[in-house]
Structure formats: C-alpha cells, structure tokens
Amino acid sequence: MKRLFLLMTALVSLNIACTSYAQQNKGAGGSHVKSLTKEAFIKEVFDFENNTDWKFIGEKPAIIDFYATWCGPCKQIAPRLETIAQEYEGKINVYKIDVDKEPALAKAFGIRSIPTLLFIPMKEIPQIAQGALSMEDLKNAVDNFMLKK
C-alpha cells in the first residue's frame, strides 16, 4: 500500500497541462461515463488491496475522474468527459469516482484536490492531471498518451 501511495504521488509530478474538472451524472440512461465503487474499481481497474505494484486489469485504456458533487470545476468538466466517452466509445472507458462516497480510493491515490483525472494506458504507468481540462487537452491525452495515435 505504501509503494502504491508513493507511485501515485510521483505520478502527480507528471501532470498534463490542465485547468479544471467533472460532475456526477444527472439522471439515468444515456451516460457513457460509469460510476465506480471501491469494489468495482478492484475488479475492473486495479486490485490495490492485494498488489503494491501497478497492474492495470482493464480491457481498454481508461480515464478516471475523481470528483465531488459540490465541486464547481468538477461540474464544468463532466460534459466534456461525457463527450469523450461518446467519441471514443469502444476504444476507452471513462469512469468517475465520487471522493466523498469512496474515501478509501481517494486516499489510496493520494487525491488532495479535485477534479483529478487519472489517464490509464494499457501498458504504461498512468498519468494524473488536476483541474478542468479543456476538450483539446482531453483529446490530446487520449490520442497521444492513451491510444498513441
């Protein structure tokens, strides 16, 4: 657990140029962004309880949005993430984690400010960005870091 915390803290220094971030989905249906609980995160992304070294277990690259419902910048980026999820459907997964409902996940990844985005390529170490990223920055991260276009 300590190694994971140190790894994630180091990743913060690899920040992608950014400005702000995500919101909780309103209503049901139609959303391409999936909310994750701790249990779902362990099954779909990384089992941080049983592993200290990063090992992504997802089937596609992923973006994880650490957000809170009360966060203004989180509300600004939410529609952008929904658009990214739609545009890259079948190529990446876009998840969100409410830090107030899942404090263990926020703690495990050293989340100290929101919004924070975790960009996870298939075989590389993830990168973290803080703030409400522009659509251009999000697409850049997906195309150039996650999908290597």
Side-chain angles (χ1 to χ4, degrees), residues 8-80:
M8 298 316 293
T9 302
L11 291 175
V12 171
S13 66
L14 300 174
N15 280 341
I16 298 169
C18 58
T19 45
S20 196
Y21 177 88
Q23 139 188 333
Q24 181 179 19
N25 282 341
K26 294 180 181 174
S31 178
H32 293 84
V33 178
K34 179 181 178 184
S35 293
L36 287 180
T37 62
K38 176 182 163 188
E39 294 75 22
F41 182 91
I42 288 170
K43 288 179 185 175
E44 297 180 35
V45 179
F46 171 62
D47 184 357
F48 67 93
E49 292 184 325
N50 294 311
N51 296 294
T52 55
D53 293 327
W54 176 260
K55 181 169 178 10
F56 180 52
I57 56 178
E59 296 177 4
K60 295 179 228 165
I63 298 173
I64 299 178
D65 169 18
F66 290 90
Y67 78 101
T69 58
W70 48 264
C71 168
C74 297
K75 292 176 183 178
Q76 290 176 343
I77 197 171
R80 294 179 208 146

Side-chain angles (χ1 to χ4, degrees), residues 16-21 76-77 80 115 117 119 129-138 141:
I16 298 169
C18 58
T19 45
S20 196
Y21 177 88
Q76 290 176 343
I77 197 171
R80 294 179 208 146
L117 296 174
F119 294 94
Q130 296 175 330
L133 299 177
S134 68
M135 184 58 80
E136 181 181 355
D137 288 338
L138 288 168

